[in-house]
Amino acid sequence: MPWELKPDRPIYTQLIEQIELMIFSGVYSLGSKLPSVRDMAQEAAVNPNTMQRALAKLEEDGLIITHRTSGRTITEDANMIEEAKTKMAERQILDFLEKMQLMGFKQKEILAIINDIAKGMKE
């Protein structure tokens, strides 16, 4: 999964979101060991301090566990992962709905658009 960082938002918040996506999608599975901060920073083409800040936030949120002598791993708590995944989805949906309302769409119109798009999606 390539790192996609945009200049319009703080880099560390984008790193947090992308690492969360890697966890939620299974790129980093439950209990798996993460690469070193330096390796992750080099791969993402960011300063190691910025990557460290993102990882510290993910640790604070409980998604990552730091082991003093053996680096970092993803939590093995599947419920915690599922809760974080749901929160991210809710944030994305709220952002989307706010933008749609700013464009002048009403609830029924938004739902109709979503239904039309969903019909074309694969299950």
Side-chain angles (χ1 to χ4, degrees):
M1 191 169 177
W3 297 88
E4 294 179 27
L5 303 172
K6 299 176 182 166
D8 63 337
R9 297 181 25 235
I11 298 297
Y12 91 99
T13 58
Q14 294 180 68
L15 291 172
I16 291 167
E17 290 170 359
Q18 290 188 32
I19 294 168
E20 285 175 333
L21 284 173
M22 288 182 214
I23 294 169
F24 302 154
S25 68
V27 171
Y28 294 133
S29 58
L30 297 179
S32 66
K33 187 170 176 16
L34 287 173
S36 72
V37 172
R38 289 200 182 282
D39 288 346
M40 290 180 76
Q42 185 175 13
E43 184 182 319
V46 299
N47 186 298
N49 293 329
T50 305
M51 183 61 74
Q52 173 61 36
R53 184 176 178 195
L55 293 171
K57 174 64 173 135
L58 290 167
E59 181 175 5
E60 182 182 307
D61 293 345
L63 295 176
I64 291 177
I65 299 166
T66 298
H67 307 279
R68 278 193 340 165
T69 57
S70 59
R72 291 181 170 87
T73 59
I74 304 302
T75 182
E76 293 184 9
D77 186 341
N79 289 330
M80 180 179 289
I81 299 287
E82 196 58 38
E83 287 175 19
K85 184 177 175 179
T86 299
K87 282 183 186 177
M88 177 185 257
E90 289 171 352
R91 283 192 314 265
Q92 295 290 325
I93 291 168
L94 284 172
D95 288 347
F96 166 75
L97 291 174
E98 287 173 5
K99 288 176 186 171
M100 294 297 285
Q101 287 178 328
L102 285 173
M103 290 190 295
F105 286 99
K106 303 293 182 217
Q107 183 180 8
K108 284 184 179 182
E109 295 170 312
I110 296 169
L111 291 173
I113 292 169
I114 292 170
N115 282 329
D116 288 344
I117 293 171
K119 287 176 187 173
M121 292 177 65
K122 295 178 184 175
E123 293 218 15

